[in-house]
């Protein structure tokens, strides 16, 4: 079992460090601030990301989806919550940069509308593709939109990041864009490389990360083949291309105990990593292991992206609707050595019901700051749960709730909050849960009438954002949740 005294000590140390202005390891002081004018401390591995609260798909490069010192106050009044909703065409990923700068990437309903339909049971709708990145000033409501119309790859949502050099980068349809955020004008763009022997119209580039040298990292996959690419952020010159086995999961970047910076990835058979050099990626022969979630029939539904947190790499099975098994959680030690003779990992079932098949488009959210709690969800069956791997490597189930979740949850560790959604009575609700107990702290109706495949992003102090795709409609929404007054 997990040592509660250790957790309490970590929480006290964290809060003392915030109060005293001490930065956490691997963290920095951000450029984004809330109503009080104070910038929140930044958690997770940030490499060369812009020092804002949520500059990447999942807040940080290790993809934990956890922040501190941001979002709603720990003791907020649920009755004082307000929601402002801005029309955006099929929004998916949300990012924050400096104060008053919120960015949304969307306009690509391919595949995602089918996921929404599988969750809420409504028709997918016929939403035409309109790829874009949109900057929104939440106070004035002013929007600046840049069409991402130069790509020729498969129309699947790629990803974006706010770079420490001041630029915004986004991948869409196998094309990389460099954008001036103040004006949303295009600074430069390039076609990303093909995978030899694969048609470009079937090429998917998904995932965009940045190394501590500032190099951009992205990945293409098609039909079981993958290509990993390093790009110079200033010139957009392709610095390095490396072909390796891979799958649909996105890229995760973090530092290990040896000081090396690594790119983590996995396919349906193994989890592995590359050492990130100045201008190259090198497979790490001493780290990685096979996994086999369902030994009885050797099948494996498409896995999620990995999350690096607390010295472990976490990932789950089953990202595809129609998965034939109950979901499982896997973890591997970042600083461990896995010999080739080691048996495959078999994982642990995420939910108390290990018989009902389930799936989730997103990877887990992990509190890598205070509690080590892993938040997992099953979009097929409407479940969200909190789990924790103890020092003895045994899985502890803390709580489980029946909510028809769809957006990927976010954690604010020092305030003990989990933000998620619930689709009920034909409406999509914003829900705040207690991280330790799962009890519902707040529920707020949005104008959205569909479930959503999107990320919840925590802004500066007092702000939470998430998107509603609204398949079949001309416009979706970006929602901003704050306290009235």
């Amino acid at each position: 079992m997990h040592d509660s005294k250790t957790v309490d000590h970590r929480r006290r140390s964290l809060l003392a460090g915030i109060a005293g202005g001490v930065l956490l390891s691997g963290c920095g002081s951000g450029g984004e601030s809330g109503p009080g004018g104070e910038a929140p401390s930044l958690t997770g591995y940030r490499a060369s990301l812009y020092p804002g609260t949520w500059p990447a798909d999942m807040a940080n490069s290790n993809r934990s989806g956890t922040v501190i010192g941001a979002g709603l106050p720990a003791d907020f009044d649920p009755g004082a919550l307000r929601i402002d909703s801005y029309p955006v065409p099929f929004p998916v990923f949300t990012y924050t940069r400096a104060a008053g700068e919120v960015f949304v990437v969307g306009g690509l309903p391919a595949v995602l509308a089918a996921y929404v339909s599988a969750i809420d049971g409504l028709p997918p709708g016929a939403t035409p593709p309109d790829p874009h990145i949109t900057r929104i000033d939440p106070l004035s409501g002013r929007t600046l939109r840049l069409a991402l119309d130069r790509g020729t790859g498969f129309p699947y949502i790629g990803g974006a990041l706010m770079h420490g050099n001041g630029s915004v980068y986004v991948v869409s349809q196998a094309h990389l864009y460099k954008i001036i955020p103040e004006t949303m004008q295009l600074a430069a763009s390039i076609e990303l490389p093909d995978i030899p022997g694969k048609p470009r119209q079937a090429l998917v580039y998904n995932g965009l990360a940045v190394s501590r040298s500032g190099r951009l990292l992205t990945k293409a996959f098609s039909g079981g083949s993958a290509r990993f690419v390093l790009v110079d952020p200033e010139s957009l010159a392709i610095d390095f291309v490396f072909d390796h086995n891979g799958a649909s999961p996105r890229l995760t970047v973090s530092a290990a105990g040896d000081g090396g910076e690594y790119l983590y990835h996995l396919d349906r058979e193994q989890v592995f990593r590359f050492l990130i050099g100045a201008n190259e990626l090198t497979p790490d022969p001493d780290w990685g292991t096979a996994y086999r979630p369902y030994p009885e029939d050797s099948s494996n539904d498409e896995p999620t992206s990995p999350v690096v947190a607390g010295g472990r790499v976490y990932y789950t099975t089953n990202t595809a609707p129609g998965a034939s098994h109950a979901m499982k959680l896997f973890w591997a030690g970042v600083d461990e050595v896995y010999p080739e003779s080691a048996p495959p990992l078999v994982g642990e079932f995420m939910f108390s019901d290990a018989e009902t098949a389930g799936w989730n488009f997103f990877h887990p959210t992990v509190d890598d700051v205070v509690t080590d709690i892993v938040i997992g969800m099953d979009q097929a069956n409407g479940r969200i749960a909190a789990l924790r791997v103890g020092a003895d490597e045994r899985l502890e189930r803390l709580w489980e709730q029946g909510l028809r979740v769809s957006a990927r949850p976010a954690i604010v560790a020092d305030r003990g909050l989990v933000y998620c959604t619930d689709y009920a009575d034909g409406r999509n609700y914003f829900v705040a849960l207690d991280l330790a107990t799962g009890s519902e702290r707040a529920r707020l109706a949005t104008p959205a009438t569909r479930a959503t495949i999107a990320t919840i992003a925590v802004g500066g102090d007092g702000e939470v954002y998430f998107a509603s795709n609204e398949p079949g409609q001309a416009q979706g929404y970006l929602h901003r949740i704050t306290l009235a007054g």
Side-chain angles (χ1 to χ4, degrees), residues 95-466:
Y95 312 82
T96 66
R97 191 171 173 273
E101 293 182 343
V102 181
F103 297 81
V104 182
V105 172
L108 290 171
V111 179
L112 300 188
Y115 276 90
V116 174
S117 179
I119 296 169
D120 63 24
L122 300 175
T127 306
D130 182 20
H132 66 88
I133 180 169
T134 298
R135 174 185 161 179
I136 300 174
D137 180 341
L139 297 182
S140 67
R142 181 170 178 255
T143 63
L144 290 173
R145 181 171 300 154
L146 178 67
L148 304 176
D149 54 6
R150 299 189 174 195
T152 56
F154 186 76
Y156 183 69
I157 195 75
L161 61 81
M162 313 290 116
H163 199 288
N165 66 8
S167 298
V168 172
Y169 298 87
V170 59
V171 168
S172 179
Q173 293 184 266
H175 200 90
L176 175 64
Y177 300 79
K178 180 180 180 180
I179 299 163
I180 303 167
E182 292 79 9
T183 61
M184 292 302 289
Q185 293 179 325
L186 184 64
S189 74
I190 59 164
E191 284 282 272
L192 291 166
D194 290 334
I195 294 178
K198 303 292 183 181
R200 189 162 185 87
Q201 62 269 25
L203 188 65
V204 173
Y205 267 89
N206 70 329
L208 184 62
V210 62
S211 70
R212 57 192 174 200
S213 72
R215 292 289 190 275
L216 300 170
L217 301 100
T218 187
K219 178 217 71 182
F221 76 97
S222 177
S225 300
R227 170 161 277 198
F228 298 83
V229 182
L230 271 174
V231 184
D232 182 281
E234 303 305 329
S235 67
L236 297 191
I238 303 295
D239 285 341
F240 186 74
V241 174
F242 187 70
D243 294 318
H244 194 277
N245 54 300
S248 64
R250 294 171 183 265
L251 306 179
T252 301
V253 174
S254 192
D258 61 6
E261 185 183 39
Y262 292 94
L263 169 65
Y264 292 83
H265 194 59
L266 67 159
D267 57 25
R268 293 189 182 191
E269 297 179 353
Q270 59 184 336
V271 58
F272 50 89
R273 72 185 183 187
F274 309 115
L275 177 66
I276 302 173
N279 287 296
E280 64 180 356
L281 299 172
T282 306
D284 183 354
D286 298 322
W287 191 91
T289 182
Y291 70 101
R292 188 176 177 185
Y294 312 108
E296 66 279 2
D297 61 9
S298 72
S299 64
N300 181 9
D301 295 301
E302 192 77 358
T304 64
S305 307
V307 179
V308 178
R312 297 186 180 97
V313 179
Y314 295 92
Y315 53 100
T316 79
T317 55
N318 304 13
T319 61
S324 55
H325 297 279
M327 295 178 65
K328 276 192 168 184
L329 176 71
F330 289 80
W331 61 92
V334 166
D335 295 318
E336 292 189 27
V337 174
Y338 294 91
E340 291 186 10
S341 59
L345 301 177
V346 296
E348 295 281 352
F349 287 106
M350 293 181 62
F351 299 94
S352 55
D353 175 9
E355 302 296 327
T356 304
W359 51 264
N360 179 22
F361 179 83
F362 293 106
H363 53 280
T365 303
V366 186
D367 175 9
D368 53 349
V369 184
V370 183
T371 65
D372 296 326
I373 288 177
V374 178
I375 299 295
M377 62 180 189
D378 177 352
Q379 292 172 314
N381 299 295
R383 298 183 290 192
I384 184 170
L387 313 116
R388 185 163 53 205
V389 178
D392 58 0
E393 295 298 306
R394 295 175 64 90
L395 185 66
E396 178 185 5
R397 293 182 177 86
L398 304 177
W399 53 261
E400 188 173 318
Q401 293 282 11
L403 299 175
R404 190 149 288 279
V405 285
S406 53
R408 197 236 185 184
I411 293 174
V412 183
D414 59 319
R415 300 180 182 183
L417 293 172
V418 180
Y419 301 125
C420 65
T421 59
D422 182 27
Y423 182 75
D425 305 320
R427 300 288 294 275
N428 204 26
Y429 290 82
F430 168 79
V431 177
L433 302 176
D434 184 279
L435 175 62
T437 67
S439 61
E440 192 169 298
R441 294 282 308 278
R443 173 177 291 263
L444 185 65
T446 76
T449 59
R450 302 291 304 266
T452 190
I453 296 294
T455 54
I456 297 178
V458 182
D461 204 21
E463 301 173 325
V464 182
Y465 297 91
F466 81 96

Side-chain angles (χ1 to χ4, degrees), residues 50-141:
Y50 185 88
T53 305
W54 208 277
D57 292 349
M58 308 301 166
N60 47 44
S61 299
N62 55 297
R63 306 188 70 82
S64 72
T66 296
V67 295
I68 59 172
L72 302 173
D75 58 351
F76 73 91
D77 175 7
L81 291 180
R82 61 170 288 172
I83 183 167
D84 296 291
S85 299
Y86 311 89
V88 184
F90 206 92
V92 181
F93 291 151
T94 303
Y95 312 82
T96 66
R97 191 171 173 273
E101 293 182 343
V102 181
F103 297 81
V104 182
V105 172
L108 290 171
V111 179
L112 300 188
Y115 276 90
V116 174
S117 179
I119 296 169
D120 63 24
L122 300 175
T127 306
D130 182 20
H132 66 88
I133 180 169
T134 298
R135 174 185 161 179
I136 300 174
D137 180 341
L139 297 182
S140 67

